[in-house]
């Protein structure tokens, strides 16, 4: 499984010959807009954790460019279906076997509305179980006890957690979250994009390493293989 970071919570996951794009927000991201060309992104599926603009801004264009299927909660799926996009609606606690692996939509503590005020259902995260590796994409969330449910069903190889604070967990709570999901390898997301969520990278990495955990921070368009 190869994971490329496009800023904020935008990830391109290559697994079993499919491209899975998560939360595309590129044209509005000052850190990403000159480094990533939206019209060049190849996606078979687009997973949306919630409806906030910093997670869905480029979803419609990329879905239409690629005839991709949007996978999200019921309300978000219906929003895009009404715009002529193929969708797969899910809701919390539900799993589905796609042609690239199993996806479970799991709880997040946050909010979810579109930029125009349209209700975006309840926010969530995803567990993606590929052929060899399983990842947890928390989405925007507070630290929540519900994270403890995840390792009852999955062995997580990489936890993708927000660390920017203010709108989501910060670094200290993300360290606790990594205990809750029983995974010591964390890819940090949702930081530095705006002034509210700027973080000190060295301090964040040190805090993780002090707990014998590994915090990976990628540059825009940089990838890791797990
Ligand atoms: Ni959000
Ligand atoms: Mn966000």
């Amino acid at each position: 499984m190869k994971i490329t970071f496009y800023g904020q919570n935008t990830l391109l996951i290559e697994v079993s010959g499919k491209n899975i794009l998560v939360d595309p927000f590129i044209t509005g991201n000052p850190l990403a807009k000159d480094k990533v060309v939206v019209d060049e992104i190849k996606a078979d599926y687009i997973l949306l954790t919630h409806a906030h603009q910093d997670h869905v801004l480029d979803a419609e264009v990329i879905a239409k460019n690629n005839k991709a299927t949007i996978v999200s909660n019921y309300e978000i799926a219906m929003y895009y279906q009404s715009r002529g996009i193929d969708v797969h609606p899910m809701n919390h606690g539900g799993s589905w076997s796609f042609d690239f692996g199993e996806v479970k939509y799991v709880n997040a503590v946050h909010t979810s509305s579109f930029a125009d005020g349209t209700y975006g259902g309840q926010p969530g995260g995803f567990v993606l179980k590929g052929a060899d590796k399983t990842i947890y994409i928390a989405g925007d969330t507070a630290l929540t006890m519900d994270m403890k449910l995840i390792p009852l069903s999955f062995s997580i190889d990489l936890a993708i957690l927000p660390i920017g604070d203010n709108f989501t967990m910060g670094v200290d709570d993300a360290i606790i979250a990594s205990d809750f999901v029983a995974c010591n390898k964390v890819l940090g997301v949702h930081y530095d994009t705006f002034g509210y969520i700027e973080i000190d990278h060295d301090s964040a990495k040190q805090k993780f390493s002090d707990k014998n955990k590994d915090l990976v921070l990628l540059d825009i368009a940089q990838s890791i293989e797990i």
Side-chain angles (χ1 to χ4, degrees):
M1 190 183 290
K2 182 181 175 187
I3 300 166
T4 304
F5 178 60
Y6 287 144
Q8 194 67 343
N9 200 48
T10 309
L11 305 157
L12 184 67
I13 300 161
E14 294 168 61
V15 55
S16 297
K18 300 291 179 184
N19 281 10
I20 319 303
L21 185 68
V22 179
D23 285 1
F25 173 70
I26 293 156
T27 57
N29 182 346
L31 304 181
K33 63 182 172 56
D34 298 326
K35 295 181 178 165
V36 183
V37 180
V38 163
D39 286 342
E40 290 178 358
I41 291 177
K42 297 277 176 271
D44 299 293
Y45 296 88
I46 302 174
L47 273 52
L48 301 178
T49 60
H50 65 295
H52 284 160
Q53 191 168 37
D54 62 313
H55 298 256
V56 306
L57 181 65
D58 299 309
E60 185 168 348
V61 165
I62 297 170
K64 287 179 173 170
N65 282 350
N66 290 274
K67 295 190 177 5
T69 298
I70 287 183
V71 180
S72 192
N73 70 31
Y74 183 79
E75 289 78 8
I76 292 172
M78 291 307 105
Y79 179 93
Y80 285 105
Q81 187 176 63
S82 74
R83 284 161 170 72
I85 294 167
D86 290 338
V87 299
H88 181 108
M90 299 187 74
N91 224 323
H92 301 88
S95 299
W96 187 261
S97 287
F98 292 88
D99 54 2
F100 59 87
E102 178 186 350
V103 172
K104 185 171 188 177
Y105 192 60
V106 297
N107 295 348
V109 174
H110 192 67
T111 55
S112 177
S113 52
F114 286 93
D116 64 3
T118 302
Y119 175 58
Q122 296 294 310
F126 296 99
V127 175
L128 195 169
K129 185 178 183 185
D132 304 316
K133 301 287 181 179
T134 301
I135 62 174
Y136 168 49
I137 303 160
D140 285 5
T141 183
L143 177 65
T144 166
M145 295 293 276
D146 287 347
M147 292 168 177
K148 291 189 172 188
L149 298 173
I150 290 169
L152 301 181
S153 308
F154 298 97
S155 174
I156 302 296
D157 297 293
L158 178 71
I160 302 174
L161 304 178
I163 57 170
D165 219 331
N166 191 73
F167 297 115
T168 66
M169 293 188 287
V171 169
D172 295 336
D173 281 353
I175 289 169
I176 299 169
S178 76
D179 282 332
F180 284 6
V181 300
C183 177
N184 286 328
K185 189 173 178 70
V186 171
L187 174 62
V189 293
H190 213 272
Y191 62 93
D192 284 359
T193 310
F194 320 111
Y196 288 122
I197 61 174
E198 282 174 8
I199 66 159
D200 180 327
H201 295 201
D202 291 338
S203 157
K205 287 181 179 175
Q206 188 62 49
K207 283 182 172 182
F208 272 82
S209 81
D210 287 347
K211 300 286 185 185
N212 296 313
K213 296 172 185 291
D214 183 21
L215 175 66
V216 178
L217 300 179
L218 297 175
D219 293 333
I220 305 280
Q222 193 182 0
S223 303
I224 52 165
E225 193 90 40
I226 61 164

